Amino acid sequence: MYNNNEKDQEEIFDNPKNTSAKVIGYLPWYRFSQNDKIEYCKLTHLNIAFANPESDGTIMLPNNSSGITLQNIISTAKSKNNEIKIYISLAGGGIGSEALERWKNFLTNSQDRSVLVNKIISFVIDNNLDGVDVDLEWEAVTQGYSDFVIELKSALTSKGKGMTAAFPGTTRFNNITNEALETFDFINLMVYDFTGPWNPTASGQHSSYDNAIKSINYWKNTVGISGSKLTLGVPFYGYDFTNSSNVTSFTFGQMVSLNSSYSELDNVGSKFYNGRPTIKSKVKLAGEQVSGIMIWELGQDSFSEYSLLKTIHSEYKNLGFKTTELCLD
């Protein structure tokens, strides 16, 4: 078990009123076209997803067909919210075999790790970013992972930049040492995908309130991470189990476009997702137990009065938390 003794920080969560909370939103490159719809004023952190190394270590985001660039996103977000922290998120859960091999190769030995770390720092500095979110998952978390994040953290700190990670709700990867866990400023818990297309006979909610409780308890009590260094991930999407031979994903925005009343539900038939009441409950839980809410992902929202981002922002405000204090609604 990894323990830290942040008792004083932990006590914040026994009386959370008038404290601050993080709202972290991921925006993948293929959603850049939604740039003008996203209320950046409601976010404390924006994670741009996902960048991976080329064969020489150069960090690259895939091109998107909208013509909107990373600099367009940064410019818009900063113009709406001059306090927002913008991070580049590395790897992601769905990286292809080529990118996976590159990560494994770079993490294997110290010389290659050093090249990669320098390239990541260059990307952060060149794009005037605030930090790095490490989202290496499952088979990508090789033996070199811990040395990599320790070295990356040192390099980022020397530049005044931050570092976070995204981890599954109830799994600590074997190759992550206690020292490596300590390097992260905070950890975003991916409390979703407890079922999905990979398990088509397990029809049901992939991100229940119970999953949230179990995940927070696991990281706080089993792993031993302070709630002040955790955020609770919530999904803006769901899975349709209507046809067990072809389970598909859909966005919250798509459900609301079908019928606005669906915004208040967690399932319609065999379509399972998180509606506004469940998101409100999770915000309350986060306020009591951890330091914020993380969103996968912003482009899946309903850009309307039924928006889940609006719901998160409003619920934190109702509970007496400060997030950004920049939005009027």
Side-chain angles (χ1 to χ4, degrees):
M1 177 184 290
Y2 162 61
N3 285 299
N4 67 26
N5 296 313
E6 299 182 31
K7 185 178 179 184
D8 291 340
Q9 284 185 289
E10 200 66 62
E11 287 173 351
I12 293 171
F13 301 97
D14 294 331
N15 184 21
K17 293 296 182 182
N18 300 315
T19 61
S20 60
K22 303 180 190 76
V23 179
I24 300 105
Y26 280 84
L27 183 67
W29 59 271
Y30 51 83
R31 300 283 190 192
F32 280 10
S33 61
Q34 307 282 38
N35 186 34
D36 61 342
K37 298 179 182 178
I38 294 167
E39 294 188 277
Y40 293 111
C41 63
K42 291 180 166 63
L43 299 170
T44 61
H45 295 72
L46 175 66
N47 287 353
I48 304 295
F50 288 105
N52 283 285
E54 299 289 285
S55 57
D56 66 351
T58 300
I59 299 301
M60 296 287 291
L61 274 172
N63 292 321
N64 73 91
S65 59
S66 69
I68 297 174
T69 67
L70 173 60
Q71 286 306 315
N72 295 146
I73 299 293
I74 293 170
S75 176
T76 301
K78 293 282 189 181
S79 70
K80 302 287 180 64
N81 180 351
N82 61 9
E83 297 178 0
I84 197 169
K85 302 296 184 187
I86 305 179
Y87 284 37
I88 186 65
S89 191
L90 301 175
I95 59 175
S97 57
E98 286 187 18
L100 178 61
E101 283 305 307
R102 284 195 201 112
W103 277 108
K104 288 182 177 180
N105 291 338
F106 274 112
L107 268 54
T108 296
N109 66 72
S110 59
Q111 188 172 2
D112 289 339
R113 282 197 305 272
S114 179
V115 169
L116 180 60
V117 167
N118 287 337
K119 293 287 190 178
I120 293 169
I121 296 298
S122 294
F123 186 91
V124 169
I125 299 301
D126 291 347
N127 290 286
N128 195 27
L129 297 170
D130 298 290
V132 172
D133 176 64
V134 181
D135 191 16
L136 287 160
E137 300 177 28
W138 306 105
E139 68 269 28
V141 182
T142 59
Q143 285 188 328
Y145 176 96
S146 290
D147 289 333
F148 165 66
V149 296
I150 290 166
E151 292 164 24
L152 179 58
K153 173 64 172 180
S154 178
L156 287 166
T157 300
S158 72
K159 302 294 185 182
K161 307 296 184 179
M163 188 174 80
T164 62
F167 291 141
T170 55
T171 300
R172 173 182 173 174
F173 300 124
N174 292 333
N175 286 319
I176 302 180
T177 65
N178 292 343
E179 185 182 2
L181 276 180
E182 290 180 18
T183 64
F184 300 112
D185 300 321
F186 58 88
I187 294 167
N188 299 308
L189 301 184
M190 298 183 286
V191 186
Y192 35 72
D193 287 355
F194 280 79
T195 188
W198 53 89
N199 198 3
T201 59
S203 173
Q205 181 55 256
H206 77 104
S207 181
S208 67
Y209 184 82
D210 188 49
N211 291 145
I213 292 173
K214 288 179 179 178
S215 297
I216 291 171
N217 286 342
Y218 173 78
W219 281 94
K220 289 178 73 173
N221 301 324
T222 302
V223 182
I225 304 290
S226 166
S228 63
K229 293 187 71 172
L230 299 172
T231 70
L232 174 62
V234 298
F236 280 16
Y237 67 97
Y239 290 113
D240 183 356
F241 288 89
T242 303
N243 179 357
S244 62
S245 63
N246 185 30
V247 176
T248 57
S249 64
F250 58 88
T251 71
F252 177 77
Q254 287 172 325
M255 293 305 295
V256 173
S257 69
L258 293 173
N259 189 321
S260 61
S261 69
Y262 292 170
S263 65
E264 307 307 302
L265 305 176
D266 282 345
N267 73 286
V268 176
S270 294
K271 293 182 176 181
F272 296 89
Y273 58 101
N274 279 191
R276 292 199 299 170
T278 292
I279 293 295
K280 286 181 182 179
S281 296
K282 288 183 177 181
V283 170
K284 185 173 186 296
L285 177 66
E288 294 167 350
Q289 296 289 334
V290 296
S291 71
I293 287 285
M294 175 271 279
I295 297 157
W296 180 267
E297 42 87 357
L298 294 166
Q300 298 168 320
D301 202 3
S302 171
F303 301 104
S304 69
E305 63 188 287
Y306 305 103
S307 160
L308 293 181
L309 180 57
K310 285 183 189 289
T311 301
I312 291 165
H313 181 79
S314 298
E315 188 63 12
Y316 264 134
K317 189 174 181 180
N318 292 340
L319 292 169
F321 285 81
K322 173 190 173 184
T323 54
T324 67
E325 295 189 332
L326 292 172
C327 293
L328 298 177
D329 57 347

